[in-house]
Amino acid sequence: MKAKIFEILRLLAGRAFVIGLVAIVTGCASTPERKPLPLDLTTQAHIPGIPDARLWGDEWPKFSLERFTTFTVADFRREYAGIYDGPHHYLAISGGGAEGAFGSGLLVGWTAAGTRPEFTMVTGISTGALTAPFAFLGSDYDDELEAVYTNISTEDIFKKRNAIGAVFADAMYDTKPLRSLLVKHFNADFIDAIARQHNRGRRLFIGTANLDAGRSVIWNIGAIAASDYPGKMALIHDVIQASAAIPVLFPPVVIPVEANGQPYDEMHVDGGTVSQVFVYPAAVDWKTITKKLKVHGKPKVYVIRNSFLDPDYRGVKRKVFAIASRTIDSLIRYQGIGDLYQIYALCVRDGNDFNLAYIPSNFTQEPSESFDPVYMRKLFDLGYGMARAGYPWMKDPPGFHTMPASTN
């Protein structure tokens, strides 16, 4: 087949064009070799020196189970000094690309309202993975969070690859600009600040999808930050970049691991592949955790869905890309709604107080590019204004039709 293609190209454009094309394709197709884990070692892979660096998103890890069944009161007071014997507030931030500007505006407006709590735990996926570290460290980082979502454009996130070479590569776009953004903001001082909060007992989790295993992975960013692992900063950058690595469009992130004393690697992509938003795995007995930590009252769960949830009508052109785009949009929207139902069910089961925010359907601004700074500024201002006035958190996911909760 390749010989036929090149013969046609030779006949159409001549030898010089073919030689040039071969050079382009060869250069663009040089993706690094991998050493993926064998199937029987999938559950044994780990980050050297960080036993609690990550967990599967569908189970309660052994180390956590042992901790919450064997720790004494003194152990809990020492390990979780900042969250023991007090109220708990959990924040879950969803994916949504440029729509993450809404959630970041909401957080900054919440600070301005004077009612934003210190979050016991923060989780993030995709664009939420970029927001979550700022939210975790608190309002001192609001200016930086605002800048990330209002002072960037598409070229600050990705750039196009050669159209022909991209077919032979691992993605259509190059996300080196995003990596530069991560390196700039999540520097050594920032990572040290996360480590200090982790050592108080607070937790920061980022979700990715292990493409080899076809399972969700939850990364304990605080444990990585607090470790002595020499490559911890690069690993944190890898995880956040992987969480936003939309398959096919953005390159996957290959993360080195170890199993049976041998080096291997795993391929990770956008956490939104398996979940749009999460708080904790359904397999976790959260009542045991809150009881052991002597949590005051009901833990409050705040979910920021950086997306529209209401149905929207669009006349779809009878074209392949238009149909595919609309189909994917619909799949993501309903997957996100399903995730909200799961979180709500967990809140009911475990005695948590559910609170939901999402982009209202009366916001009708359209972006002019993937990351349009004008569009993102308006979304940021929308979230800011709603939170500044006292955000009307919804107490149920879409479909329950209850009244908004009183201002928190």
Side-chain angles (χ1 to χ4, degrees), residues 169-184:
D170 56 4
M172 300 300 293
Y173 299 102
D174 185 341
T175 52
K176 286 180 182 176
L178 172 60
R179 184 65 172 216
S180 296
L181 192 70
L182 298 179
V183 170
K184 173 184 176 182

Side-chain angles (χ1 to χ4, degrees), residues 206-242:
I206 300 298
T208 66
N210 181 324
L211 205 56
D212 297 316
R215 297 175 71 181
S216 64
V217 177
I218 298 174
W219 294 83
N220 188 342
I221 301 300
I224 298 171
S227 74
D228 294 325
Y229 184 62
K232 63 183 180 182
M233 188 179 304
L235 176 58
I236 290 172
H237 296 160
D238 281 344
V239 170
I240 297 174
Q241 184 172 352

Side-chain angles (χ1 to χ4, degrees), residues 101-102 105 149-150 359 363-366 372-385:
F102 171 77
Y149 278 96
T150 60
I359 302 174
F363 180 80
T364 58
Q365 178 78 22
E366 292 287 339
D372 176 3
V374 175
Y375 174 79
M376 294 169 72
R377 166 53 73 181
K378 290 188 176 182
L379 261 180
F380 181 93
D381 290 344
L382 173 67
Y384 179 93

Side-chain angles (χ1 to χ4, degrees), residues 208-291:
T208 66
N210 181 324
L211 205 56
D212 297 316
R215 297 175 71 181
S216 64
V217 177
I218 298 174
W219 294 83
N220 188 342
I221 301 300
I224 298 171
S227 74
D228 294 325
Y229 184 62
K232 63 183 180 182
M233 188 179 304
L235 176 58
I236 290 172
H237 296 160
D238 281 344
V239 170
I240 297 174
Q241 184 172 352
S243 187
I246 305 169
V248 180
L249 293 182
F250 296 165
V253 177
V254 176
I255 298 178
V257 296
E258 187 176 293
N260 278 357
Q262 296 297 314
Y264 295 98
D265 60 49
E266 300 172 340
M267 182 177 286
H268 287 259
V269 297
D270 190 347
T273 304
V274 288
S275 177
Q276 291 296 310
V277 64
F278 73 98
V279 179
Y280 52 82
V284 173
D285 180 359
W286 205 257
K287 284 187 176 180
T288 295
I289 292 176
T290 55
K291 182 179 179 181

Side-chain angles (χ1 to χ4, degrees), residues 94 113 162 190 286 302 383:
S94 83
N162 176 276
F190 195 98
W286 205 257
Y302 297 97

Side-chain angles (χ1 to χ4, degrees), residues 35-59:
K35 190 179 179 181
L37 277 165
L39 176 61
D40 59 334
L41 295 180
T42 302
T43 58
Q44 299 179 40
H46 62 279
I47 305 298
I50 321 177
D52 53 350
R54 81 270 183 82
L55 60 140
W56 294 112
D58 52 9
E59 67 182 31

Side-chain angles (χ1 to χ4, degrees), residues 189-201:
D189 290 340
F190 195 98
I191 301 303
D192 287 344
I194 290 176
R196 288 192 293 273
Q197 293 305 315
H198 176 82
N199 290 333
R200 292 181 57 226

